[in-house]
Amino acid sequence: MISGKIMTPTLAEQILQDGDADYICSARTLIADPFWPTKAKEGRVEDICPCICDDRCLEDVMIDFQPMSCTVNPMVGKEVEFHAKQPRVTRRRKS
């Protein structure tokens, strides 16, 4: 396993192809964009919201003892608030 500033799917893939790791671990990249793996798999790399590594997420929790936030993803730490404002999506179940 490897982690730490693996910000692009290209870098992650290269690490795997070179045999330097069997698994890629992500934390901050998934805080910045929870859909990072899906976008990478679908080839939508340009749609990925990149982590800018300003450590806002860590500072909030570890230094300020506040709920996590993210400079590039305003929903982090406020999911309930944002979810309440989102329109409900209903899908018909297949019979």
Side-chain angles (χ1 to χ4, degrees):
M1 293 178 153
I2 191 167
S3 67
K5 293 193 178 183
I6 301 168
M7 303 301 197
T8 65
T10 304
L11 177 58
E13 187 63 33
Q14 189 63 51
I15 290 168
L16 295 172
Q17 292 297 323
D18 291 347
D20 293 331
D22 293 324
Y23 298 97
I24 304 294
C25 301
S26 296
R28 287 185 286 185
T29 54
L30 293 175
I31 293 168
D33 189 343
F35 302 102
W36 192 101
T38 302
K39 291 174 183 177
K41 182 179 179 181
E42 293 173 354
R44 298 185 300 126
V45 178
E46 66 282 350
D47 293 339
I48 293 174
C49 182
C51 173
I52 61 171
C53 300
D54 67 349
D55 292 333
R56 177 79 256 152
C57 54
L58 298 175
E59 288 177 18
D60 287 341
V61 175
M62 299 175 75
I63 296 172
D64 299 333
F65 304 107
Q66 297 294 319
M68 184 181 293
S69 68
C70 177
T71 304
V72 298
N73 184 353
M75 288 180 57
V76 171
K78 300 173 187 78
E79 289 85 358
V80 172
E81 177 185 329
F82 274 91
H83 180 69
K85 293 179 181 179
Q86 297 291 324
R88 284 197 171 248
V89 176
T90 57
R91 294 183 187 163
R92 295 184 128 179
R93 291 187 177 206
K94 294 181 181 179
S95 305

